[in-house]
Amino acid sequence: MLKIFNTLSGKKEEFTPIEAGKVKMYVCGITVYDYCHIGHARAMISFDIITRFLRHIGYDLNFVRNITDVDDKIIKRAEENGETTTALTERMIAAMHEDEIALGNKLPDLEPKATEFMQQIIDMIQVLVDKGFAYQGTTGDVYYRASKFSEYGKLNNRKLEEMLAGARIEVEAAKEHAADFVLWKPAKEGEVSWDSPWGKGRPGWHIECSAMSTHCLGNHFDIHGGGPDLKFPHHENEIAQSEAATSEQYVNYWMHCGAVRVNNEKMSKSLGNFFTIREVLEQFNPEVVRYLMVSSQYRSSIDYSDSSLKDAKTALERLYTALRGQEIASSFTATEFTTRFEDAMRDDFNTPVALSVMFELVRELNKARAENNVVAPEMAAELKSLAEVLGLLYQDPEYFMQNSTVSGGLSAEDIEDYIAERAQARQDKNFARSDEIRDLLSEQGITLLDSREGTTWTRD
């Protein structure tokens, strides 16, 4: 039995798909005006793990994640750069995919772009206008009547009046109500625009997801996910638009991942603690970043810091050390470790408990290796199988141990040259030079590991 925490009900629920054996899931994607930051990495990795496990336990999953490629921020950035919005968004989409692949993610089955679904967006707005859920204001903007949707606020478990109390919402003269939100906005001179029954313009952000998700997955689907900042107003507005337009329940299970904090503070450019994925990967192996995200259950917040990344690196090295030089069987018989791992993941994708099971398996594997037990290769294969569900242990152990930190320092070739020189010095009984080389490498963060098979090394 799989249990998922449903934001809509505020509790864990047994997961029952609409169609047996199949899952339809939509996740809100990126507004592609800049490089992705570590908060995006949190959402990317969280839902990648969810998709991996759903497929691991046999579900036929259709995973859709949209791309917002028309937006005020996109238009402004393109103007600042002196390029077209298309040139900017295509460049940022390519960079997003590069970042995601570097982090070990598998790309979604579908990635609809807002600009490719303009007719579906216009059609949905027209339905809302015809049903009296939307109106055109005096400025030409088309607004959604939030007060007409009786269940507005159900995702956040608050009534409309409660959500407005104390909120800083600009009341425009063209609006009927402060909570009304824009579905279509007139284009300014020179801006990208599309023809519509309400004049040239472009859609509001919220209506894009409603149109794309229902077109790709149907009016009623299983799971809708996103970051913690999307619960209100974005997802609340999606529900209101979609259910008013289709007269059907929009989504059964709403899932939201936790936020990323930097040194226990909210990540913000104004605080100077804002990091893009690319900046982080200049300092750390991508799998170390992934492990940090996996080490916390997807709904929990994560504290990003150099210290937390170093802890993640140390933990990941323990896993790789168990596989270093170990034969891995081509097949294995699942043991209690697989059962317990899957039980943890079935409990709302509890990755910390799943990882603890993997470390127990590592301890048993290390014992089997020390005893030259014939079951060690199968245990290694089982460890690799469990890790694959989390998107871990996909690198060659030797390579990872030598490249878990990727910034500065000696190159691998330099280190191997020093090791060769040290081996010759020891053969010549020049132990002073041998010790000198070890100390020199230690100062550079390189630890040498001597064994009967030779000398290997890791970066500290």
Side-chain angles (χ1 to χ4, degrees):
M1 181 175 65
L2 172 63
K3 288 187 176 182
I4 294 176
F5 184 89
N6 189 352
T7 307
L8 188 63
S9 65
K11 60 184 180 183
K12 288 183 190 177
E13 298 178 2
E14 181 179 348
F15 177 69
T16 304
I18 296 168
E19 184 178 355
K22 296 186 177 182
V23 178
K24 294 184 286 186
M25 181 170 75
Y26 181 91
V27 173
C28 287
I30 311 298
T31 300
V32 285
Y33 73 98
D34 205 344
Y35 292 113
C36 296
H37 54 68
I38 56 173
H40 294 141
R42 171 63 160 157
M44 289 174 175
I45 293 171
S46 293
F47 287 99
D48 180 64
I49 290 168
I50 289 166
T51 62
R52 284 170 181 263
F53 185 68
L54 289 173
R55 287 176 173 141
H56 174 75
I57 58 177
Y59 282 112
D60 178 8
L61 172 69
N62 187 4
F63 174 30
V64 179
R65 187 186 63 198
N66 77 296
I67 294 174
T68 298
D69 61 343
V70 57
D71 179 84
D72 290 340
K73 292 178 180 178
I74 292 171
I75 292 171
K76 181 181 178 183
R77 181 62 56 85
E79 289 176 351
E80 292 172 350
N81 293 351
E83 61 183 329
T84 65
T85 56
T86 300
L88 172 63
T89 57
E90 287 183 351
R91 185 160 53 84
M92 290 298 107
I93 290 169
M96 175 185 72
H97 287 157
E98 289 172 3
D99 290 345
E100 197 162 12
I101 291 170
L103 289 170
N105 280 7
K106 297 179 179 180
L107 298 182
D109 298 303
L110 289 174
E111 275 190 307
K113 300 176 186 176
T115 56
E116 297 172 345
F117 283 76
M118 206 53 61
Q119 190 56 55
Q120 289 85 350
I121 292 169
I122 292 171
D123 290 346
M124 180 172 274
I125 296 172
Q126 185 64 64
V127 170
L128 293 170
V129 171
D130 293 343
K131 287 187 170 185
F133 282 94
Y135 62 93
Q136 188 167 22
T138 56
T139 57
D141 298 84
V142 179
Y143 292 100
Y144 181 89
R145 283 191 176 96
S147 59
K148 185 174 175 62
F149 186 69
S150 61
E151 293 185 285
Y152 192 88
K154 65 180 178 179
L155 181 65
N156 291 270
N157 195 28
R158 298 173 68 189
K159 295 188 180 298
L160 181 61
E161 296 74 18
E162 294 174 350
M163 288 188 284
L164 289 178
R168 297 176 60 185
I169 298 178
E170 183 181 350
V171 181
E172 301 173 18
K175 284 185 178 183
E176 294 178 355
H177 191 281
D180 294 350
F181 54 89
V182 69
L183 301 174
W184 188 264
K185 55 181 69 177
K188 297 176 183 176
E189 185 67 31
E191 284 185 348
V192 60
S193 64
W194 289 262
D195 291 325
S196 81
W198 316 283
K200 283 186 174 293
R202 53 192 170 84
W205 176 36
H206 311 303
I207 194 67
E208 294 175 359
C209 281
S210 287
M212 286 186 282
S213 62
T214 54
H215 178 83
C216 295
L217 297 175
N219 294 344
H220 181 205
F221 55 92
D222 298 293
I223 299 173
H224 193 313
D229 56 326
L230 300 182
K231 287 171 58 178
F232 182 81
H234 184 54
H235 288 163
E236 197 71 67
N237 291 349
E238 272 193 69
I239 292 173
Q241 295 163 160
S242 303
E243 297 190 358
T246 67
S247 300
E248 297 181 43
Q249 181 177 345
Y250 182 37
V251 173
N252 284 357
Y253 302 88
W254 285 86
M255 302 180 69
H256 294 89
C257 64
V260 174
R261 298 177 64 81
V262 178
N263 293 317
N264 290 313
E265 291 185 310
K266 182 177 180 180
M267 186 175 66
S268 168
K269 287 184 177 180
S270 62
L271 294 175
N273 62 359
F274 180 90
F275 301 101
T276 67
I277 294 173
R278 299 189 160 213
E279 289 171 332
V280 174
L281 298 190
E282 289 176 359
Q283 301 294 321
F284 286 90
N285 185 295
E287 196 173 350
V288 171
V289 180
R290 185 178 184 91
Y291 185 93
L292 174 63
M293 302 296 177
V294 173
S295 64
S296 178
Q297 202 260 2
Y298 78 95
R299 287 191 291 116
S300 304
S301 62
I302 284 182
D303 184 47
Y304 171 90
S305 65
D306 284 349
S307 174
S308 61
L309 279 168
K310 288 175 182 175
D311 289 344
K313 171 178 171 288
T314 299
L316 196 51
E317 285 176 344
R318 284 181 58 199
L319 296 177
Y320 268 113
T321 298
L323 296 176
R324 198 176 193 181
Q326 170 61 50
E327 178 189 351
I328 301 174
S330 58
S331 63
F332 67 94
T333 301
T335 69
E336 60 157 324
F337 292 108
T338 294
T339 301
R340 291 169 55 208
F341 176 94
E342 291 179 351
D343 286 346
M345 293 296 288
R346 287 179 186 274
D347 183 15
D348 197 29
F349 310 96
N350 196 330
T351 51
V353 174
L355 282 171
S356 70
V357 173
M358 288 174 59
F359 279 107
E360 288 185 45
L361 176 54
V362 162
R363 284 196 291 273
E364 294 303 312
L365 172 57
N366 288 337
K367 290 179 185 177
R369 288 185 66 176
E371 297 168 359
N372 292 318
N373 194 313
V374 293
V375 302
E378 283 197 30
M379 297 176 73
E382 186 170 18
L383 177 62
K384 286 276 288 184
S385 174
L386 301 183
E388 200 279 331
V389 177
L390 304 182
L392 297 173
L393 302 186
Y394 57 85
Q395 301 181 68
D396 175 76
E398 197 69 36
Y399 176 85
F400 174 82
M401 296 298 287
Q402 297 174 0
N403 294 276
S404 54
T405 302
V406 296
S407 62
L410 295 171
S411 69
E413 291 77 11
D414 290 338
I415 296 167
E416 293 293 348
D417 287 344
Y418 275 119
I419 289 175
E421 182 184 348
R422 177 172 174 267
Q424 186 62 50
R426 294 175 74 182
Q427 185 175 330
D428 297 339
K429 301 189 183 303
N430 186 353
F431 298 114
R433 178 55 180 163
S434 172
D435 293 343
E436 184 181 338
I437 291 171
R438 177 184 285 276
D439 293 343
L440 183 152
L441 292 175
S442 178
E443 291 170 2
Q444 294 290 321
I446 307 301
T447 296
L448 300 183
L449 305 170
D450 294 320
S451 69
R452 286 175 295 180
E453 289 75 26
T455 301
T456 58
W457 55 275
T458 62
R459 294 187 191 272
D460 297 335

